[in-house]
Amino acid sequence: AGPCDIYSSGGTPCVAAHSTTRALFSAYTGPLYQVKRGSDGATTAISPLSSGVANAAAQDAFCAGTTCLITIIYDQSGRGNHLTQAPPGGFSGPESNGYDNLASAIGAPVTLNGQKAYGVFVSPGTGYRNNAASGTAKGDAAEGMYAVLDGTHYNGACCFDYGNAETNSRDTGNGHMEAIYFGDSTVWGTGSGKGPWIMADLENGLFSGSSPGNNAGDPSISYRFVTAAIKGQPNQWAIRGGNAASGSLSTFYSGARPQVSGYNPMSKEGAIILGIGGDNSNGAQGTFYEGVMTSGYPSDATENSVQANIVAARYAVAPLTSGPALTVGSSISLRATTACCTTRYIAHSGSTVNTQVVSSSSATALKQQASWTVRAGLANNACFSFESRDTSGSYIRHSNFGLVLNANDGSKLFAEDATFCTQAGINGQGSSIRSWSYPTRYFRHYNNTLYIASNGGVHVFDATAAFNDDVSFVVSGGFA
Ligand code: AHR
Ligand code: AHR
């Protein structure tokens, strides 16, 4: 059985079921998600294998030698409640038409029972939505929902959500949403410790319990894979959570609606959001693997069976890197492969990261400027950070999508901005170096300056022309 078979047996059927990793009904054989590739704009649907796990190999074959984005996350419930690129609302997204960004298809690799699959890695600016969903709860009607998330990928911005929201992408008032939130925002509610917390986004508030402020019963989460569940019915709602890779769910809150005007009764509108707030606030980050919404208030017993099903799916981490191996502690230099520039290496001039012509006969200072010590990734040791050879403690990081050399300030944002994952060079040479936090974006030289660039986008340095060459670098032993 799948999670939605269990919800059906419990009398609270799925009215939306989204996953890029597996079928959520045992009998589901339709498409899980659609990817679009950068080379020619073609799309393909990724479906489950007979095991129920997504056919990641089909994605890898389709996306070979180019980039891919997740364009549609299909609804498996049969209601057509698919998630697509979120439109502008109270806030506009970063795309030129005000839409949000789409997720990279390769930002969140995992295995399920040993088989590779990909989650949805939501960077700030990324969001999916369906403003015309059918069968989802409206008004004060009962519903439940769960999502499996990456407990190590979050931030404090508004709002990494999955669930029920406004149909016009605007803040229409208290009680107009009922969604799972995951992150360490302290603007509204908080739980115990420093976060991240599972909270309910009920509009104009993230709630961790009955008080609109702190509720000590809602714990900080530190599991790599998290099951987060929210459910609500007239004057009753609950937060439940646990480790998606083992054990059972705990109830972090169950009780009355918040004693603040507008939340009892609720005014749910029934749209579905992923990765954003109800008004298209899009500064948050997180990773989504699977989730559903139900009709009716699921029993704890039903949710406990769903949790057992999730644990049995055996989510586990998969490598974030591929292609030529890098050795932590070694010194490397990175040579451009675009025809213009094959004698140029990634170097720095002060805090500017650029390409410069370097050879074995260059001055020592230039050789050092073009040499980098490979470090374990500051935010994720499955990837890498690049420390300057001549300015110890300074690392290549992105800032406003440019690459700069900055001293490590010890912050979580710095660590994330300075973490990069290597993969085989997209043009077939060397390696391409992907931002961990914005996996649609790669080290790119553009007019001899370095950026993190996407294959098409709003910046001049996102140009599709020469993209594959500009993002492919040959790694060698360092000049210094
Ligand atoms: O409730 C928190 C956020 O407040 C909602 O997601 C958003 O619509 C509003 O800005
Ligand atoms: O480079 C994109 C973002 O810009 C970085 O994450 C942040 O440091 C800056 O605001």
Side-chain angles (χ1 to χ4, degrees), residues 318-403:
L320 278 162
T321 60
S322 66
L326 296 187
T327 303
V328 170
S330 68
S331 171
I332 61 168
S333 291
L334 297 143
R335 184 176 63 76
T337 62
T338 313
C340 59
C341 301
T342 56
T343 58
R344 304 186 78 96
Y345 290 78
I346 297 177
H348 75 98
S349 302
S351 63
T352 300
V353 179
N354 52 25
T355 61
Q356 299 187 50
V357 177
V358 189
S359 70
S360 55
S361 50
S362 295
T364 301
L366 179 57
K367 287 181 176 175
Q368 290 180 345
Q369 286 163 19
S371 299
W372 307 94
T373 305
V374 178
R375 300 296 184 197
L378 295 174
N380 186 323
N381 64 15
C383 294
F384 303 103
S385 293
F386 301 101
E387 185 178 7
S388 166
R389 285 295 276 170
D390 57 29
T391 314
S392 117
S394 286
Y395 293 80
I396 299 178
R397 62 86 65 97
H398 63 85
S399 180
N400 295 320
F401 308 111
L403 285 180

Side-chain angles (χ1 to χ4, degrees), residues 416-441:
E416 293 176 352
D417 288 351
T419 297
F420 301 94
C421 309
T422 50
Q423 62 187 73
I426 292 179
N427 76 351
Q429 296 178 61
S431 297
S432 291
I433 305 164
R434 192 171 77 238
S435 164
W436 173 82
S437 53
Y438 290 83
T440 59
R441 297 186 168 278

Side-chain angles (χ1 to χ4, degrees), residues 25-212:
F25 291 85
S26 61
Y28 187 77
T29 56
L32 299 174
Y33 62 105
Q34 184 194 69
V35 295
K36 181 181 183 181
R37 68 185 173 201
S39 52
D40 59 0
T43 59
T44 197
I46 305 300
S47 295
L49 299 166
S50 57
S51 62
V53 176
N55 186 356
Q59 174 185 310
D60 291 341
F62 183 77
C63 302
T66 186
T67 53
C68 270
L69 300 171
I70 297 172
T71 35
I72 303 174
I73 305 164
Y74 291 104
D75 172 24
Q76 302 176 29
S77 79
R79 290 179 171 272
N81 290 331
H82 314 311
L83 294 172
T84 58
Q85 187 171 20
F91 293 91
S92 290
E95 296 287 358
S96 55
N97 54 10
Y99 275 59
D100 293 347
N101 293 139
L102 294 164
S104 164
I106 59 168
V110 288
T111 59
L112 281 73
N113 280 308
Q115 290 183 276
K116 188 176 176 190
Y118 294 101
V120 184
F121 190 101
V122 171
S123 306
T126 302
Y128 294 83
R129 193 166 192 126
N130 185 325
N131 279 343
S134 88
T136 45
K138 292 196 170 140
D140 208 26
E143 68 175 347
M145 62 195 77
Y146 83 88
V148 176
L149 308 171
D150 179 342
T152 67
H153 183 209
Y154 60 88
N155 69 10
C158 179
C159 291
F160 182 73
D161 288 353
Y162 173 72
N164 193 320
E166 292 93 341
T167 52
N168 67 354
S169 300
R170 292 173 191 278
D171 179 349
T172 52
N174 295 359
H176 285 245
M177 297 177 62
E178 187 166 69
I180 296 163
Y181 166 82
F182 184 73
D184 66 350
S185 166
T186 57
V187 173
W188 295 284
T190 54
S192 64
K194 292 192 148 113
W197 304 285
I198 302 166
M199 298 193 276
D201 191 341
L202 304 180
E203 190 51 278
N204 298 312
L206 304 176
F207 290 88
S208 53
S210 68
S211 153

